[in-house]
């Protein structure tokens, strides 16, 4: 067996083990990089270590640290409250408010699962109180998080754009971002129509001027609904989100616990941290997030260094916030991404990337090869980590795109990006598992089946649709 095939089989084994067992795929990838690199490729460990993505590591640490501070000081809760007040009792607007809040969070740098962990308990709480389909509300949050996931300063966007730029392929970060946004927006609009959104258009809720909360009196069930809502903040999957098979999900345990106060906050009851940090401090945090976007987009400064610098400034104002924020940095997520990137570096140096790219291109027509790669990305991502898929499959497609097959690289990258992330609605992936974990007050078995059915449908249909839109047309 050739070294290239051994390295590919090792990558497949990593995906299988990380899906079946609660083992971080990053750990598997680091070990795989060491064993395959030394035993199969004959590389020195110094060469393997040279493939460690230091820039990406700094970006992940800086972004997750800054957003942990924003969550802990109540800024995220406050922004949600403001958004909820803006609907002025329009129940039909609530799912869209959740969609756009999740999209904004991921577009400015939040990890997609972290955004879902923050918003899902709030959104599903509103679903209970206002008798909105929990499936609709949960899917709106997931598609919102994925809609903003490929902005130039996001985690997904950073990984994808970095790989494409390194390969010397044509790069259009805006195209990838807009492709993901509009596909997810279109799917969300279709779901809104099919899952009861039209009925919500005629309903109004009562807006409490005292608290800014939105309420809809339901005399017989309101107490139970509020109890379920408060309980959502404490919900975690059995054994942690990892039980659903996605290795990156274990980084979200603390974020789930922090949502304890979120539901009460938007319903008018102050969360535990309110009063500890002043409104000016929260305004300063928002200014920091805006500064992050300006400095990285307009002045092309390194997002990791900028995020850590802004985070340090906020920590100097409230030092007690620092310790908890450091603990909330998504270390398992970082281990996952950097481990897979290091393994991909080994694959690249030993020639596996070129081997796979030319093999796929030679199997069938270029267009069929493109749709095959989109299907592979969708299927693997539905059961494993989207970030791992992006970090491993896009490099495998680079030689295929460089071979002069006639397939537009910009369109194909957009199709691959959407195919590999839109399937995160699957209950076996992080975002789907988070929604399932917070779906209180419903038949959980039935909810799981519906979520799994929808995830299977998206996994089959989405790759073909985005292939037709971005590659064929």
């Amino acid at each position: 067996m050739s070294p290239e095939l051994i390295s590919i089989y090792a990558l497949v084994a990593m995906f299988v083990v990380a899906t079946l067992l609660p083992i971080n795929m990053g750990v598997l990838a680091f070990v795989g990089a060491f064993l395959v690199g030394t035993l199969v490729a004959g590389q020195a460990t110094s060469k393997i270590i040279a493939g460690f993505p230091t820039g990406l590591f700094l970006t992940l640490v800086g972004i997750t640290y800054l957003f942990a501070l924003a969550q802990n000081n109540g800024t995220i809760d406050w922004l949600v409250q403001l958004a909820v007040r803006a609907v002025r009792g329009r129940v039909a607007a609530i799912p869209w408010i959740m969609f756009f809040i999740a999209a904004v969070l991921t577009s400015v740098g939040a990890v997609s699962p972290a955004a879902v962990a923050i918003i899902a308990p709030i959104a599903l709480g509103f679903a209970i109180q206002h008798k909105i389909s929990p499936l609709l509300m949960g899917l709106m949050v997931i598609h919102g998080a994925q809609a903003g996931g490929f902005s130039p300063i996001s985690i997904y966007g950073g990984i994808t754009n970095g790989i494409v730029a390194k390969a010397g392929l044509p790069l259009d970060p805006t195209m990838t971002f807009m492709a993901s946004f509009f596909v997810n927006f279109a799917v969300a609009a279709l779901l809104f129509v099919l899952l009861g959104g039209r009925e919500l258009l005629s309903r109004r809720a009562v807006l409490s001027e005292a608290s800014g909360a939105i309420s809809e009196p339901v005399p017989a069930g309101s107490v139970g609904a509020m109890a379920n809502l408060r309980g959502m903040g404490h919900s975690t999957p059995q054994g942690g989100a990892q039980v659903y098979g996605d290795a990156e999900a274990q980084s979200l345990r603390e974020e789930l616990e922090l949502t304890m106060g979120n539901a009460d906050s938007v319903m008018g009851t102050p969360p535990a941290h309110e009063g500890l940090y002043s409104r000016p401090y929260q305004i300063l945090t928002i200014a920091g997030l805006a500064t992050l976007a300006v400095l990285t987009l307009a002045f092309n400064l390194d997002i990791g260094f900028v995020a850590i610098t802004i985070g340090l400034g906020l920590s100097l104002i409230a030092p007690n916030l620092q310790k908890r924020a450091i603990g909330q940095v998504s270390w398992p997520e970082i281990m996952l991404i950097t481990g897979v990137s290091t393994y991909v570096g080994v694959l690249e140096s030993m020639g596996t990337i070129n081997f796979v790219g030319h093999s796929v291109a030679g199997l069938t027509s270029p267009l069929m090869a493109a749709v095959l790669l989109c299907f592979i990305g969708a299927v693997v991502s539905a059961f494993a980590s989207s970030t791992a898929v992006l970090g491993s499959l896009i490099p495998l497609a680079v030689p295929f795109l460089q071979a002069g097959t006639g397939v537009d690289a910009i369109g194909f990258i957009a199709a691959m990006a959407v195919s590999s992330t839109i399937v995160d609605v699957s209950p076996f992936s992080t975002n789907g598992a988070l929604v399932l974990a917070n779906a209180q007050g419903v038949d959980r078995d039935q909810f799981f089946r519906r979520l799994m059915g929808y995830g299977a449908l998206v996994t089959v249909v989405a790759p073909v649709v985005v292939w037709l839109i971005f590659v064929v047309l």
Side-chain angles (χ1 to χ4, degrees), residues 383-407:
F383 293 91
S385 163
S386 296
T387 46
V389 171
L390 289 172
S392 57
L393 289 185
I394 290 181
L396 295 182
V398 168
F400 161 72
L401 297 173
Q402 292 175 328
T405 58
V407 175

Side-chain angles (χ1 to χ4, degrees), residues 26-57:
V27 176
L28 296 170
F30 275 123
V31 174
F34 172 64
L35 295 180
V36 172
T38 56
L39 300 180
V40 178
Q43 297 179 0
T45 54
S46 58
K47 186 175 182 180
I48 297 172
I49 294 173
F52 181 86
T54 53
L56 183 57
F57 171 81

